[in-house]
């Protein structure tokens, strides 16, 4: 018999609370055994899953955004089918999968969806499901925490910091190793993706796949301040590869050398400064989706 572990973050507000209530009604109507855990007592989903989940649970349903997903998968001690009900601000990872067009379809997928094996990343022993951003986008996440603006949250806060620092952000020296090849060059940013999209809609790794056993790497070199504004739309539609400053790589591993001037994020959450050692774990998680993933 199935026994479902539901985890959600009450700090994410009314949208998540209502969604959890609707999910509870669906599970009850199906006579499924389940228990709902919020992250309040354990501060985050990592502690909640690690401390409360035992081997009697057959499924994990995560209600939240990319950060909650990241925390939950880092609390897992064994492989278990995972479902995602997105209620976050950006919901970048789920842009890679089909969950349903309506909330009711998404909830139904969470319970009855097809199982597919997907890759996850590993950065300094911490799992990630969507990606790592270092440089410009890491700086944005850092400043959203250290330079909070009253009344600005979510997308509004993110885009405020993008526009505030975009023109003046100085390229930084990155030393990194992709596979066996060593690089040292000035870049605006370096992103490493399992998924394709960051920041609530910037399609930085348009060719990324979550079940190919590879990480997609995007590096953006020097671009003048005005040209950054003129080309920002290319990041949204994934056509920035046409710029000479942009290069892509595919790899199973990448190492970024120590640099206190660089900040990173992991699935949109603050990561700090490198060094980072990043690898891919192929087909490491069972994810429920509306349709099976193509290989």
């Amino acid at each position: 018999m199935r026994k479902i572990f539901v985890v959600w973050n009450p700090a994410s507000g009314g949208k998540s609370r209502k969604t959890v209530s609707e999910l509870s009604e669906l599970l009850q109507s199906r006579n499924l055994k389940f228990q709902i855990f919020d992250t309040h007592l354990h501060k985050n989903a990592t502690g909640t899953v690690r401390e409360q989940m035992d081997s009697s649970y057959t499924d994990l349903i995560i209600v939240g955004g990319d950060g909650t997903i990241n925390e939950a998968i880092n609390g897992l001690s064994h492989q278990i089918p995972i479902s995602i009900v997105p209620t976050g601000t950006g919901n970048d990872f789920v842009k890679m999968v089909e969950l349903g067009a309506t909330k009711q379809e998404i909830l139904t997928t969470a319970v009855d969806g097809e199982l597919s094996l997907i890759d996850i990343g590993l950065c300094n022993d911490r799992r990630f499901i969507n990606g790592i951003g270092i440089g410009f986008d890491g700086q944005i996440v850092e400043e959203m925490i250290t330079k909070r603006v009253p009344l600005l949250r979510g997308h509004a806060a993110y885009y405020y910091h993008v526009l505030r620092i975009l023109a003046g952000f100085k390229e930084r020296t990155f030393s990194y190793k992709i596979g066996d090849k060593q690089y040292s060059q000035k870049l605006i940013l370096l992103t490493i993706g399992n998924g394709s999209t960051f920041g609530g809609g910037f399609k930085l790794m348009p060719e990324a796949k979550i079940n190919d056993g590879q990480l997609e790497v995007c590096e953006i070199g020097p671009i003048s301040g005005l040209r950054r504004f003129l080309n920002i739309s290319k990041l949204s539609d994934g056509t920035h590869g046409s710029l000479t400053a942009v290069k892509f790589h595919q790899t199973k591993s990448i190492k970024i050398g120590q640099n206190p001037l660089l900040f990173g994020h992991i699935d949109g959450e603050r990561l700090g400064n490198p060094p980072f050692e990043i690898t891919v774990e192929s087909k490491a998680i069972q994810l429920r989706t509306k349709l099976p993933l193509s290989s």
Side-chain angles (χ1 to χ4, degrees):
M1 174 179 283
R2 294 173 71 184
K3 181 181 177 183
I4 299 173
F5 188 110
V6 180
V7 62
W8 74 291
N9 180 6
S12 58
K15 181 179 179 181
S16 291
R17 189 176 300 276
K18 183 179 179 183
T19 299
V20 168
S21 176
E22 292 169 341
L23 175 62
S24 176
E25 291 176 6
L26 174 61
L27 294 172
Q28 288 175 8
S29 72
R30 295 284 302 279
N31 294 317
L32 290 170
K33 189 174 183 180
F34 69 96
Q35 192 161 356
I36 296 172
F37 297 86
D38 68 52
T39 62
H40 178 69
L41 292 177
H42 303 276
K43 306 302 182 186
N44 59 41
T46 301
T48 304
V49 172
R50 180 179 294 145
E51 295 175 25
Q52 301 298 318
M53 179 181 281
D54 58 39
S55 59
S56 68
Y57 288 97
T58 62
D59 299 78
L60 169 63
I61 298 179
I62 304 165
V63 180
D66 293 324
T68 305
I69 300 168
N70 178 283
E71 291 174 358
I73 66 172
N74 276 284
L76 286 172
S77 60
H78 60 282
Q79 192 177 86
I80 187 173
I82 292 173
S83 301
I84 298 170
V85 180
T87 59
T89 302
N91 298 316
D92 286 319
F93 174 73
V94 297
K95 293 177 175 67
M96 300 293 295
V97 296
E98 175 59 46
L99 298 180
T102 66
K103 183 188 284 189
Q104 190 56 48
E105 286 183 352
I106 292 170
L107 292 175
T108 300
T109 295
V111 178
D112 298 320
E114 301 281 351
L115 281 175
S116 297
L117 285 169
I118 67 165
D119 307 332
I120 61 170
L122 195 66
C123 176
N124 294 2
D125 296 325
R126 180 175 173 181
R127 291 175 165 181
F128 63 90
I129 197 164
N130 195 51
I132 307 283
I134 308 159
F136 177 72
D137 49 344
Q139 188 76 35
I140 294 170
V141 172
E142 184 72 18
E143 296 202 5
M144 286 178 67
I145 295 170
T146 60
K147 298 180 181 180
R148 292 182 185 274
V149 179
L151 304 180
L152 288 183
R153 295 172 178 264
H155 277 309
Y158 186 86
Y159 287 116
Y160 165 80
H161 286 287
V162 168
L163 295 175
R164 188 179 67 81
I165 72 173
L166 181 61
F169 184 79
K170 295 184 181 300
E171 297 87 357
R172 311 285 164 83
T173 299
F174 285 69
S175 295
Y176 54 104
K177 187 177 183 181
I178 299 178
D180 295 326
K181 189 170 182 180
Q182 185 70 44
Y183 298 82
S184 181
Q185 54 190 326
K186 287 189 175 295
L187 301 175
I188 295 173
L189 63 81
L190 184 71
T191 58
I192 301 95
N194 185 40
S196 65
T197 309
F198 284 34
F202 293 106
K203 202 168 185 178
L204 289 172
M205 278 76 60
E207 301 300 320
K209 294 182 179 181
I210 57 174
N211 60 351
D212 63 352
Q214 298 280 339
L215 295 169
E216 194 84 7
V217 179
C218 172
E219 59 180 50
I220 301 182
I223 299 176
S224 68
L226 177 60
R227 288 185 63 225
R228 294 179 190 181
F229 283 103
L230 293 176
N231 288 291
I232 196 168
S233 63
K234 292 182 183 294
L235 295 177
S236 298
D237 58 26
T239 60
H240 52 295
S242 62
L243 303 174
T244 57
V246 176
K247 290 184 174 60
F248 296 103
H249 309 269
Q250 276 195 332
T251 185
K252 293 183 182 296
S253 65
I254 177 171
K255 295 181 181 180
I256 295 95
Q258 184 173 1
N259 188 333
L261 299 179
L262 294 175
F263 291 95
H265 75 79
I266 182 167
D267 288 342
E269 302 295 314
R270 187 184 198 180
L271 182 59
N273 312 105
F276 304 135
E277 184 168 347
I278 303 166
T279 57
V280 64
E281 295 185 356
S282 180
K283 296 180 170 51
I285 281 182
Q286 300 176 71
L287 180 69
R288 289 194 189 277
T289 57
K290 186 176 181 180
L291 300 172
L293 295 178
S294 58
S295 45

